[in-house]
Amino acid sequence: MYNRDSKTNYLVIDDEKNIMIYSVEQKKVVRTIPHKEGKTTIEVYLAKEGAIMVSEYNKKEKQTLVSIETL
């Protein structure tokens, strides 16, 4: 993923427990998002340039919250 404003490249790495956002220029993980927090399941999708869409599904309340966040 490329952020045109900050001219930064990011890699989105998805493993079994966490989703990690890795900055290629800084050579480090800039953000870690767990897939599960209690009864909430979290997924991350690429949105527009320099942004991600975070989907949070709450099993108890049976509702999905979607937000777009810039990196």
Side-chain angles (χ1 to χ4, degrees):
M1 177 171 52
Y2 181 71
N3 186 338
R4 187 180 290 177
D5 295 333
S6 65
K7 297 182 179 165
T8 306
N9 285 309
Y10 294 98
L11 293 175
V12 179
I13 304 163
D14 188 3
D15 68 9
E16 291 181 27
K17 293 184 180 182
N18 297 317
I19 302 163
M20 295 166 281
I21 311 291
Y22 178 83
S23 172
V24 176
E25 282 77 19
Q26 297 175 7
K27 297 181 181 171
K28 68 177 186 175
V29 175
V30 293
R31 186 160 178 203
T32 302
I33 305 166
H35 274 293
K36 285 193 169 194
E37 289 183 344
K39 297 187 187 304
T40 303
T41 303
I42 300 172
E43 295 291 330
V44 172
Y45 305 97
L46 297 177
K48 55 185 180 176
E49 289 184 7
I52 57 174
M53 181 176 78
V54 180
S55 171
E56 299 178 34
Y57 176 69
N58 188 323
K59 291 180 184 179
K60 184 178 179 182
E61 297 176 12
K62 295 182 181 177
Q63 75 179 48
T64 301
L65 176 67
V66 178
S67 64
I68 294 181
E69 302 175 10
T70 59
L71 295 175

